Amino acid sequence: MERFAGKTVVITGGATGIGFAAAQLFASSGAHVVLAGRNSANGEAAQQALREKGGEHLFVQADVSKEEDVKRLMQQAAAHNGRIDILVNNAAMFYESDFLTETSEQWRRVFNVIADGAYLCTKYAAEVMVANGHPGAIVNISSINGYRALNKSSHYNAAKGALDQLTRCTALELAPYGIRVNGVAPGFIDTGLSVIGGVNELETEDFLHYYIGQRKIPLARAGLPQEIATIIAFLASEESSYIQGATIPADGGLSITF
Ligand SMILES: NC(=O)c1ccc[n+]([C@@H]2O[C@H](COP(=O)([O-])OP(=O)(O)OC[C@H]3O[C@@H](n4cnc5c(N)ncnc54)[C@H](O)[C@@H]3O)[C@@H](O)[C@H]2O)c1
């Protein structure tokens, strides 16, 4: 029997990067995947790509920072196959900014997507899981920025730190309902999020010299979205049945160094 046969998996920001790699892995293991995102062109293309490989998959246009969108997303996801088994809180935004010149609106926007978005999705997905009597798993995509300070990104670092604490708190509060909540904290992964201001940071001289050449990343390379997807699938599966409230780093060793 396939690993996720008959399971419904909701992945926010699932049309691109790490989210889409996870969507492909779940779909190829028998799951019904519900992709959620703001951009309908990306979402419909991703839905089509999944359907071509077989299975019933859905794209729902939703902004995770908007409560009405999230309620509708979880209603549609539950209606799709009668249940929600797995939620992957993956949606995020990133841009560089100086702490002193950034506006409070810009700061709040990052928090709204990363921290509030994960809160809203967790709340409404968990309500469905509890009401339907199907215990489930929630996987939060954090970052090593959640516990390390990177320059020009205090909004993102602080929001990911809040997400890690949400992982622990919901792991505690939802455990009595059979819901497991865990996280993954990637380091540098080769996705669209690595392109900042039109420049792919993984191709800059600074990155190649410091992180690769000097082995600031001990494994001396950026990660691939598929290498995060396999951890997401592990945390969503019964193989991790005794892991609760943990956030697993996946950064080629970057965060063990100083
Ligand atoms: N790429 C990296 O180096 C890296 C490192 C650490 C953590 N991460 C985390 O991995 C996750 C996936 O990022 P990625 O690298 O695949 O980049 P990505 O840009 O491909 O993925 C982010 C997705 O979130 C979506 N999104 C943004 N705002 C949204 C909103 N309000 N509502 C719904 N969807 C929204 C985007 O459209 C996009 O599809 C993110 O949580 C990111 O913080 C990435």
Side-chain angles (χ1 to χ4, degrees):
M1 176 145 149
E2 289 175 300
R3 194 181 184 196
F4 294 106
K7 305 271 187 198
T8 296
V9 185
V10 178
I11 307 176
T12 68
T16 62
I18 292 169
F20 188 56
Q24 289 174 299
L25 182 51
F26 282 116
S28 68
S29 309
H32 305 278
V33 177
V34 180
L35 304 166
R38 288 171 311 170
N39 183 316
S40 50
N42 279 351
E44 277 153 21
Q47 171 190 269
Q48 187 56 28
L50 292 182
R51 285 183 178 176
E52 277 165 16
K53 300 247 165 105
E56 277 304 308
H57 312 293
L58 194 66
F59 166 68
V60 178
Q61 187 174 26
D63 180 333
V64 295
S65 67
K66 295 188 175 151
E67 189 156 4
E68 288 312 310
D69 280 20
V70 174
K71 274 191 203 172
R72 180 176 46 78
L73 162 65
M74 297 309 168
Q75 280 163 2
Q76 283 184 244
H80 183 55
N81 192 36
R83 54 196 288 167
I84 296 175
D85 300 281
I86 295 160
L87 166 67
V88 182
N89 281 315
N90 169 74
M93 61 183 292
F94 178 86
Y95 62 91
E96 286 191 334
S97 69
D98 289 318
F99 183 77
L100 286 179
T101 54
E102 181 183 41
T103 65
S104 54
E105 286 74 21
Q106 289 173 311
W107 171 280
R108 273 198 292 272
R109 182 67 192 138
V110 176
F111 256 77
N112 284 342
V113 174
I114 293 176
D116 299 355
Y119 155 71
L120 290 169
C121 290
T122 299
K123 174 178 166 55
Y124 288 106
E127 278 184 10
V128 172
M129 290 174 185
V130 171
N132 287 359
H134 292 302
I138 297 173
V139 183
N140 293 328
I141 312 309
S142 184
S143 168
I144 57 169
N145 296 48
Y147 56 93
R148 291 283 186 270
L150 182 71
N151 214 5
K152 293 185 188 282
S153 46
S154 56
H155 43 36
Y156 181 85
N157 302 340
K160 290 293 190 182
L163 179 60
D164 290 347
Q165 188 63 333
L166 181 74
T167 299
R168 288 184 280 267
C169 295
T170 50
L172 179 65
E173 294 215 30
L174 298 177
Y177 302 96
I179 299 172
R180 290 189 309 108
V181 187
N182 291 292
V184 186
F188 288 101
I189 308 300
D190 194 357
T191 72
L193 209 72
S194 313
V195 180
I196 300 164
V199 176
N200 186 344
E201 66 174 342
L202 306 182
E203 291 169 2
T204 62
E205 215 164 291
D206 280 355
F207 182 85
L208 294 172
H209 175 71
Y210 180 60
Y211 288 102
I212 308 298
Q214 295 189 1
R215 294 197 97 106
K216 173 68 180 163
I217 301 173
L219 292 184
R221 65 175 178 86
L224 299 172
Q226 293 78 4
E227 293 178 297
I228 305 303
T230 53
I231 304 167
I232 296 170
F234 167 69
L235 291 174
S237 77
E238 276 305 298
E239 291 157 27
S240 61
S241 54
Y242 200 54
I243 302 182
Q244 181 74 328
T247 295
I248 298 177
D251 62 357
L254 172 58
S255 61
I256 61 170
T257 67
F258 68 94

